[in-house]
Amino acid sequence: MPRFPRFDPSERLGLPAEALPRHVAIIMDGNGRWAKRRRRARIWGHRAGVASVRAVAIECARLGIDRLTLYAFSQENWKRPEREVSILWKLLRSFLVRERREIMDNDIRFTAIGRLEGLPDFVRRELRETERLSARNPGMTLCLALNYGGRAEIVDAARSLAEDVRRGLLSPSAIDEAAIASRLYAPDAPDPDLLVRTAGEQRVSNFLLWQISYAEFHVTPVCWPEFREPHLHEALREYARRDRRFGALPAEAPAG
Ligand code: FPP
């Protein structure tokens, strides 16, 4: 028995459970713009964004979504002023410590992807601890993409395959899509079904490049610090209306 209230998706948003995506990925954007409009420092927006992370993660977990991947820090984000970067790491650390209880109470399994060796030690410690504590939780997997780049992930997969070829463990002709997928950062995760981007920009920004091949894209003008349960519901409803064909013809279309 789960210890937390699970929502019935048909009662909560008028959709049968089968109509929900298994894996939702979110590009959390617009923290800076949200703060600027309020004449506040950018960091104010990041702080407010943490509340959205909490609300959206709990809602997804309670709806029975399998996996939620949040783009929290890209490799390109190192180009920001040092002070902003350092406050982002502190926010992440305090999120991990403060929300551990909530993660456990909601049966969430916490994990992270990216070049994690490049993160500050004080963040890696808390990531490892949250991962360890929540490893056996049976509910949703919450995955943070940190120091993450989609191209870097593919490079790392290619290097790992090349190393096996060099050691004589793998033949180049055995390298296929499944082999590459098996060397990604989270090889057992299903591909995202739904990719949400907040704050209106219509680009992918080096996020999960391999995995989003057939994801449905939902762009909302709402900035991340304002993104809450009703906005998530809107994205899920729109997803449920999409006709996913994976390159095939619609079921009723005549052949030829
Ligand atoms: C994009 O907004 C957001 C980020 C680069 C960082 C996201 C971080 C958080 C939501 C807070 C900490 C995260 C966790 C998981 C606790 P932006 O600054 O690029 O906004 P802008 O495009 O309006 O400038």
Side-chain angles (χ1 to χ4, degrees):
M1 274 287 283
R3 284 163 291 166
F4 62 94
R6 279 292 272 266
F7 297 136
D8 177 345
S10 52
E11 275 171 28
R12 183 90 174 150
L13 46 141
L15 290 176
E18 317 78 73
L20 292 184
R22 245 181 109 189
H23 182 179
V24 177
I26 305 185
I27 301 175
M28 308 182 286
D29 197 14
N31 292 354
R33 273 163 281 173
W34 181 86
K36 196 172 169 202
R37 278 183 214 139
R38 283 157 184 77
R39 297 180 203 286
R40 300 278 195 161
R42 297 175 49 77
I43 197 62
W44 188 265
H46 295 317
R47 242 181 232 127
V50 177
S52 303
V53 170
R54 184 180 200 277
V56 169
I58 293 175
E59 183 70 13
C60 286
R62 292 184 175 181
L63 283 169
I65 284 167
D66 228 39
R67 189 176 184 96
L68 172 66
T69 302
L70 300 176
Y71 204 4
F73 193 91
S74 72
Q75 287 194 322
E76 291 73 28
N77 287 153
W78 290 108
K79 294 178 199 151
R80 295 183 176 211
E82 212 177 305
R83 190 181 127 75
E84 180 172 339
V85 170
S86 126
I87 295 179
L88 275 170
W89 293 132
K90 285 182 188 148
L91 277 178
L92 175 61
R93 181 194 169 276
S94 72
F95 168 84
L96 291 169
V97 174
R98 244 181 323 113
E99 303 301 340
R100 222 169 253 157
R101 186 55 179 277
E102 201 68 46
I103 286 172
M104 297 307 289
D105 284 351
N106 283 282
D107 276 347
I108 292 172
R109 194 176 74 88
F110 175 84
T111 184
I113 54 169
R115 289 189 174 162
L116 303 179
E117 65 283 2
L119 303 189
D121 282 347
F122 72 93
V123 175
R124 281 167 69 189
R125 244 194 325 272
E126 301 305 337
L127 280 177
R128 272 200 302 268
E129 182 60 3
T130 313
E131 248 173 344
R132 188 187 67 77
L133 282 170
S134 67
R136 289 166 183 273
N137 286 349
M140 183 189 79
T141 299
L142 168 62
C143 175
L144 296 187
L146 296 166
N147 193 19
Y148 177 87
R151 287 185 175 181
E153 181 175 25
I154 296 168
V155 167
D156 290 349
R159 279 191 191 145
S160 145
L161 291 167
E163 186 55 29
D164 279 5
V165 170
R166 191 182 67 82
R167 289 160 62 197
L169 301 171
L170 185 70
S171 147
S173 62
I175 298 176
D176 55 12
E177 289 189 15
I180 294 175
S182 75
R183 306 298 168 106
L184 297 175
Y185 297 144
D188 298 326
D191 286 346
D193 304 291
L194 171 64
L195 173 64
V196 176
R197 181 167 188 145
T198 61
E201 241 61 85
Q202 304 197 20
R203 52 175 174 261
V204 165
S205 298
N206 203 15
F207 189 39
L208 302 176
L209 294 181
W210 178 276
Q211 299 90 330
I212 59 168
S213 299
Y214 287 99
E216 296 294 326
F217 203 6
H218 173 86
V219 178
T220 169
V222 174
C223 288
W224 179 249
E226 284 177 326
F227 192 91
R228 286 294 190 282
E229 293 87 340
H231 307 108
L232 174 72
H233 293 174
E234 186 193 323
L236 296 174
R237 287 199 193 93
E238 191 194 319
Y239 170 80
R241 289 194 294 272
R242 300 272 176 93
D243 178 20
R244 299 188 79 198
R245 296 204 297 270
F246 301 95
L249 294 174
E252 68 277 11

